[in-house]
Amino acid sequence: MLSRQVVEKLKQHETPFYFYDMDLLRQTLDSVVWAAAKYNFKIHYAIKANYDPRILQVIKEYGLGIDCASGNEVRCAIEAGFDPKSIVYAGVGKRDKEIRYAIEQGIFAINCESLQELEVIDGIAAEMGKVVDCGLRVNPDIDPKTNHCIDTGQADSKFGISYEKVLEQAEWIQSLKHVNIKGMHLHIGSQIRELHVFQYLCDKVNVITDNLVRKGFKLDFVDVGGGLGINYDMPENEPVPNFASVFAIINGNLKVGNREIHFEFGRSIVGECGELITSVLYRKDTATGRRLVIVDASMTELIRPMLYGSYHDIENLTSTAEKHEKYAIVGTACESTDVFNESVTLPKTVRGDILTIKSAGAYGMSMASRYNQHDLPGAVYSDDIK
């Protein structure tokens, strides 16, 4: 990780803060754009992963579209200069004002998550005198083999419309006068590391697409979502995810004619370029012998370990001690669950040491809060300190 090489410069900044390796971000974008171009796939960046303005500016340079999960994310993308015709908008609970804004902006498609949502959009569009391009977000009932907290494509999920409901209501959906069903959207989950899952997805998409076309739907695009995971365990071994393999699987197994194929990647684009840099405040031992290292970051800066039980590799950037000890790395928030790692082995760690919590570029700052009236963390960019 780059922080190891520039730690002396990082010491000049008040912790905690996010440190972004902008060269790695560009390498990742080079990889996804090059691999997608081979098959003419369309890539949208899932802005919920990280909406840092500097990161968005670089992503825009590479010509990616944007995948949004809220009206304010649509607004953020528009204000960052992304072409509205490259923006897709999903989300199970779109407010009326958010729908109106998306219609006003003329985005590529609103991906609808329920039959009632289609009815609401049809009504709002009628009031506005518009016909709105929409995608049907279909729930394919696939186990993505990932953390249950972030799977989205199983039958009982709140996301999407059940495939059976779409078929049952096909005639009614197509009768809506102010909704144009332009495509189909599926997303089965996040942090997928078992690539054969994408083959299962293709098998389902092929059947669903064929049956929707038989029901009279004219689909211009098929959006297969994103979900490609990153290597949280050993990030240095795989700084750039294997986009080429995923695209090869999709290209070899997806049989939907000449329709446009869209992807929505978030974590896999920005996850590895970000680190959370934090300082050690105190050390203490509990009555049970647990050795604590208390850092100045907390769940308010990075909530994933506390919310999902997810793992982030942690490294002491400043200790030169030969002796290694086992610690629980805990934060400052007034919650017992505010623990980054219950048992990590580090060189002997003392007050003032600088730690990095790696692979924090996705769902880090974008999920930060001001609980306990904490300040939001700042950001430092590699191209500003070289």
Side-chain angles (χ1 to χ4, degrees):
M1 287 292 167
L2 182 60
S3 59
R4 193 182 305 124
Q5 303 169 34
V6 296
V7 64
E8 292 302 318
K9 294 181 179 179
L10 296 181
K11 287 179 180 178
Q12 301 169 16
H13 299 271
E14 182 181 359
T15 55
F17 61 86
Y18 279 95
F19 176 53
Y20 295 114
D21 183 343
M22 304 304 280
D23 288 339
L24 179 55
L25 174 61
R26 291 181 181 278
Q27 290 170 25
T28 306
L29 288 163
D30 283 334
S31 177
V32 69
V33 168
W34 177 85
K38 183 176 180 180
Y39 310 107
N40 199 29
F41 291 156
K42 309 298 181 185
I43 308 299
H44 304 266
Y45 168 63
I47 196 172
K48 61 181 174 285
N50 192 320
Y51 48 80
D52 180 279
R54 288 276 296 273
I55 287 176
L56 290 182
Q57 190 60 41
V58 173
I59 290 171
K60 185 162 71 74
E61 291 172 14
Y62 281 79
L64 273 63
I66 293 290
D67 161 56
C68 300
S70 75
N72 279 346
E73 288 188 355
V74 176
R75 188 179 299 277
C76 179
I78 296 289
E79 292 177 353
F82 287 87
D83 181 356
K85 288 300 181 184
S86 73
I87 296 173
V88 293
Y89 175 23
V92 299
K94 303 179 186 75
R95 296 174 174 86
D96 290 9
K97 68 177 182 180
E98 295 175 313
I99 292 169
R100 288 191 183 93
Y101 179 75
I103 294 173
E104 289 168 353
Q105 298 304 312
I107 67 172
F108 179 79
I110 300 176
N111 290 330
C112 299
E113 309 241 6
S114 70
L115 296 176
Q116 188 172 31
E117 183 186 324
L118 283 167
E119 187 175 22
V120 169
I121 291 175
D122 185 65
I124 291 173
E127 293 172 5
M128 299 174 68
K130 304 275 190 180
V131 175
V132 182
D133 288 334
C134 292
L136 293 174
R137 181 168 182 176
V138 179
N139 188 314
D141 191 19
I142 293 176
D143 182 355
K145 308 299 183 184
T146 186
N147 188 315
H148 72 92
C149 295
I150 50 177
D151 65 37
T152 61
Q154 297 200 64
D156 196 40
S157 171
K158 72 176 183 179
F159 296 97
I161 312 170
S162 77
Y163 171 44
E164 291 77 11
K165 286 288 185 184
V166 173
L167 294 182
E168 288 172 10
Q169 299 296 322
E171 185 175 345
W172 174 80
I173 293 170
Q174 292 174 87
S175 74
L176 298 173
K177 298 185 183 303
H178 296 273
V179 169
N180 173 42
I181 301 302
K182 186 176 183 179
M184 180 178 66
H185 172 219
L186 303 96
H187 181 65
I188 58 175
S190 189
Q191 187 50 22
I192 299 169
R193 296 283 290 167
E194 298 183 30
L195 297 189
H196 65 269
V197 169
F198 291 103
Q199 183 172 339
Y200 299 155
L201 174 63
C202 289
D203 294 340
K204 281 287 185 84
V205 172
N206 293 340
V207 172
I208 293 171
T209 303
D210 185 58
N211 285 332
L212 291 183
V213 171
R214 289 175 187 272
K215 286 286 189 177
F217 289 101
K218 297 178 181 179
L219 306 176
D220 296 333
F221 73 89
V222 174
D223 185 335
V224 296
L228 177 62
I230 62 175
N231 193 337
Y232 283 103
D233 295 324
M234 293 180 287
E236 287 90 347
N237 289 359
E238 193 181 350
V240 178
N242 192 352
F243 297 105
S245 290
V246 173
F247 292 154
I249 291 171
I250 298 294
N251 184 68
N253 292 278
L254 196 63
K255 309 298 180 186
V256 294
N258 60 357
R259 294 175 175 84
E260 284 187 350
I261 309 304
H262 293 237
F263 292 82
E264 304 163 358
F265 294 121
R267 181 194 320 272
S268 53
I269 290 176
V270 296
E272 295 293 18
C273 79
E275 304 173 62
L276 178 58
I277 308 299
T278 183
S279 298
V280 176
L281 295 174
Y282 306 104
R283 271 187 48 178
K284 71 176 183 181
D285 295 342
T286 69
T288 61
R290 189 165 65 134
R291 186 170 290 157
L292 305 181
V293 166
I294 302 167
V295 296
D296 61 1
S298 73
M299 61 192 294
T300 61
E301 284 74 36
L302 180 64
I303 197 172
R304 293 188 70 256
M306 305 78 179
L307 187 62
Y308 304 144
S310 59
Y311 175 84
H312 287 259
D313 193 32
I314 299 175
E315 181 179 337
N316 188 324
L317 296 174
T318 51
S319 176
T320 58
E322 292 185 8
K323 182 180 180 182
H324 284 62
E325 297 178 335
K326 190 171 288 186
Y327 303 107
I329 310 298
V330 304
T332 60
C334 191
E335 299 289 338
S336 297
T337 56
D338 187 26
V339 180
F340 289 107
N341 192 310
E342 282 285 3
S343 181
V344 59
T345 300
L346 298 174
K348 186 176 181 180
T349 297
V350 298
R351 174 177 166 84
D353 277 346
I354 306 295
L355 306 187
T356 175
I357 303 174
K358 304 176 188 179
S359 309
Y363 307 105
M365 181 57 199
S366 66
M367 296 179 75
S369 76
R370 294 207 58 204
Y371 178 57
N372 290 161
Q373 284 293 293
H374 285 188
D375 293 328
L376 290 173
V380 177
Y381 308 91
S382 62
D383 48 10
D384 285 342
I385 65 172
K386 289 184 177 178

